Amino acid sequence: VQLQASGGGLVQAGGSLRLSCVVSESIFASDVMGWYRQAPGKQRELVASIYTAGDTDYTIDYADFVKGRFTISRDSAKNTVSLQMNSLKPEDTAVYYCNLDRVRPRSGNYWGQGTLVTVSS
């Protein structure tokens, strides 16, 4: 499984960016898709995740520091997970990574290559 992230760039504070992550194969409903970020000198941290434990509704979780500003979504038909980032702050500057955590039919954890987001003040 390969993940290809894109959409990073340089933006001024208050601006917006949309990150996309394309997965090389079908995304199962039970797959946990997530976006993480790692700022210089800091540990990688979870930004948002999306998955379903049932038939239809997705469960979405956000880190407190992005609630109300970022929106995660997935398009299973396109094998894509996106992260819409609004009201960006300089402290959002980091390399953003997409992640796929799969439990079935065969477990695995996969990372994309990362895309750099730089927010200037």
Side-chain angles (χ1 to χ4, degrees):
V1 180
Q2 295 182 338
L3 284 70
Q4 181 72 39
S6 63
L10 174 64
V11 64
Q12 289 188 332
S16 299
L17 282 174
R18 185 175 180 86
L19 306 182
S20 293
C21 177
V22 180
V23 183
S24 61
E25 59 183 63
S26 296
I27 303 175
F28 298 116
S30 58
D31 289 343
V32 180
M33 298 298 306
W35 284 97
Y36 290 73
R37 70 185 189 186
Q38 187 167 18
K42 296 187 177 181
Q43 290 188 331
R44 192 171 297 188
E45 59 186 357
L46 177 65
V47 175
S49 65
I50 181 170
Y51 68 97
T52 182
D55 292 332
T56 54
D57 293 338
Y58 287 113
T59 296
I60 295 176
D61 294 313
Y62 293 102
D64 287 343
F65 50 78
V66 301
K67 283 183 179 177
R69 300 188 299 125
F70 291 11
T71 302
I72 188 171
S73 61
R74 62 193 277 173
D75 185 338
S76 296
K78 296 182 179 180
N79 300 338
T80 300
V81 176
S82 299
L83 185 68
Q84 178 66 41
M85 306 186 295
N86 298 329
S87 302
L88 283 161
K89 305 175 182 179
E91 51 264 44
D92 294 319
T93 295
V95 177
Y96 284 72
Y97 299 89
C98 57
N99 174 267
L100 185 158
D101 190 48
R102 175 165 290 171
V103 295
R104 55 180 180 271
R106 185 169 58 190
S107 64
N109 190 275
Y110 308 93
W111 292 92
Q113 86 286 6
T115 185
L116 176 63
V117 172
T118 304
V119 185
S120 63
S121 57

